[in-house]
Amino acid sequence: MTRGAFRPAASALALLAGAGAAAFAYGSLVERKAYTLREVSAPVLPAGAEPIRVLHLSDLHMAPWQHDKQEWIRSLARLKPDLIVETGDVLGHDRGLEGVRAAYAGFAGIPGVFVHGSNDYFGPQAKNPLKYFMGPSKKQGSTAARLDIASLTAFFRDLGWVDLDNRAAGLEVRGTHLEFFGVDDPHIRFDRVEAIPGALDELRENDPFSDDDTWPDQGPRTERQAVTIGVTHSPYRRVLDAFVTYGAAMIFAGHTHGGQVCVPGFGALVTNCDIPRAQVKGLSVWRHAFRSAYLHVSAGLGTSIYAPVRFACRPEATLVTLTAAP
């Protein structure tokens, strides 16, 4: 083959390399910081119920120097949500809590619930990103630095938020009784799905509304039906199936980053768990055993400090309005 025959191939490779470099630069310098608020609604409340505006936050992967992210999240307090659902992977650095405190400073007094993700326990690690195409990532607890999850939990509780890691809890929001259950991160097998029925039984036994038809200090109840909500960091099928079995009408999750690097017109290449690609982010319906629940998976607001790029998948928070079912 003559030297001239190599020129088209070399030009094509150079063009491809240049396009890849441009895409990486855009994803790292521009889109990774193009924070976006999405709005969706899910009709899961009893007839006649007032709408409930839920701010779903997830996957901050916060480092202390990320002041632009902190400021943008803090600005969301202007929305005055009725409830905050935080689905984990908040920390992304051993000093990440400094940034989390700054970001969530305006949310004190707003009711909230939370679960943890694996990155709240273990610090980030440098790794080959191609491994994500070989299946869900694995946390190596023996080498990853342990993070101060106890202080993170204490901070959330100081905000007035309820820990749902393998727990259940009830909240009254805008006149509707919300019944929550959640699990610790299934991605590292910290979940105890089998504990949910017992936690729900205990919750219902202690429900102040279980034996009468009045709200404490609020007069007659217009509707006694509770709305059950499941919360998890990682949306693995086995967990989502269990949540539907245990009566969830709405499920919140994170973890996937929406694929983080997507192909326009095709979508996510990977999900980092076993959820179908079509449900890697946004609102959908999860069906199991002739039952179903609305599922909202957040694409999250951050990335690992070792993989600081997003493409065709902006960082996001979501305002999910729960409305009365038709």
Side-chain angles (χ1 to χ4, degrees):
M1 184 177 293
T2 64
R3 181 181 301 176
F6 286 103
R7 290 176 181 171
S11 297
L13 289 174
L15 183 62
L16 183 62
F24 180 84
Y26 167 79
S28 179
L29 300 176
V30 178
E31 185 163 334
R32 180 173 61 90
K33 298 184 178 183
Y35 306 113
T36 301
L37 178 69
R38 292 194 306 104
E39 297 190 37
V40 299
S41 62
V44 298
L45 302 184
E50 293 291 323
I52 297 175
R53 301 165 78 241
V54 181
L55 181 60
H56 184 188
L57 300 167
S58 194
D59 296 88
L60 275 60
H61 293 275
M62 185 66 76
W65 60 81
Q66 294 171 337
H67 300 296
D68 55 339
K69 185 193 302 182
Q70 296 160 23
E71 178 61 32
W72 189 84
I73 296 170
R74 187 163 57 244
S75 74
L76 297 177
R78 74 184 189 282
L79 299 173
K80 298 182 179 179
D82 303 307
L83 176 72
I84 294 173
V85 174
E86 164 59 69
T87 49
D89 273 9
V90 178
L91 301 179
H93 186 273
D94 59 5
R95 288 174 42 226
L97 185 55
E98 298 175 20
V100 175
R101 290 181 184 277
Y104 285 173
F107 296 141
I110 301 174
V113 296
F114 67 93
V115 294
H116 291 311
S118 62
N119 288 281
D120 297 321
Y121 290 95
F122 303 105
Q125 293 177 282
K127 62 184 68 175
N128 183 353
L130 295 179
K131 287 185 177 181
Y132 283 100
F133 294 94
M134 302 171 64
S137 62
K138 295 179 174 60
K139 278 288 178 184
Q140 302 297 327
S142 60
T143 59
R146 294 300 296 257
L147 299 181
D148 189 1
I149 194 168
S151 293
L152 176 66
T153 301
F155 171 64
F156 283 165
R157 287 175 172 167
D158 288 344
L159 289 176
W161 297 359
V162 179
D163 186 353
L164 294 178
D165 287 307
N166 301 319
R167 295 179 172 90
L171 290 175
E172 305 300 322
V173 181
R174 300 204 69 189
T176 296
H177 184 40
L178 301 180
E179 185 179 72
F180 293 92
F181 60 76
V183 292
D184 206 340
D185 192 7
H187 190 60
I188 48 176
R189 292 282 179 171
F190 279 13
D191 62 296
R192 297 293 179 266
V193 173
E194 68 280 2
I196 292 174
L200 286 173
D201 286 344
E202 182 177 356
L203 173 67
R204 290 163 182 168
E205 287 175 1
N206 296 317
D207 181 2
F209 310 116
S210 60
D211 296 325
D212 59 63
D213 292 325
T214 60
W215 298 83
D217 303 321
Q218 294 186 36
R221 299 183 68 175
T222 58
E223 174 60 61
R224 298 193 69 255
Q225 178 183 351
V227 177
T228 305
I229 298 175
V231 183
T232 180
H233 174 65
S234 305
Y236 279 85
R237 292 173 184 259
R238 60 183 176 82
V239 175
L240 301 180
D241 289 349
F243 280 14
V244 172
T245 296
Y246 298 142
M250 182 80 205
I251 301 172
F252 289 93
H255 176 69
T256 66
H257 295 195
Q260 187 166 325
V261 175
C262 299
V263 176
F266 178 79
L269 299 174
V270 295
T271 67
N272 203 23
C273 62
D274 62 358
I275 193 173
R277 286 192 314 104
Q279 294 177 277
V280 72
K281 66 178 179 179
L283 186 69
S284 63
V285 175
W286 188 262
R287 295 180 173 84
H288 173 66
F290 303 105
R291 297 184 180 183
S292 64
Y294 283 94
L295 168 65
H296 186 262
V297 180
S298 173
L301 282 161
T303 68
S304 167
I305 59 175
Y306 295 110
V309 60
R310 280 180 176 261
F311 191 82
C313 186
R314 290 187 173 188
E316 67 178 33
T318 310
L319 190 65
V320 182
T321 301
L322 308 182
T323 61

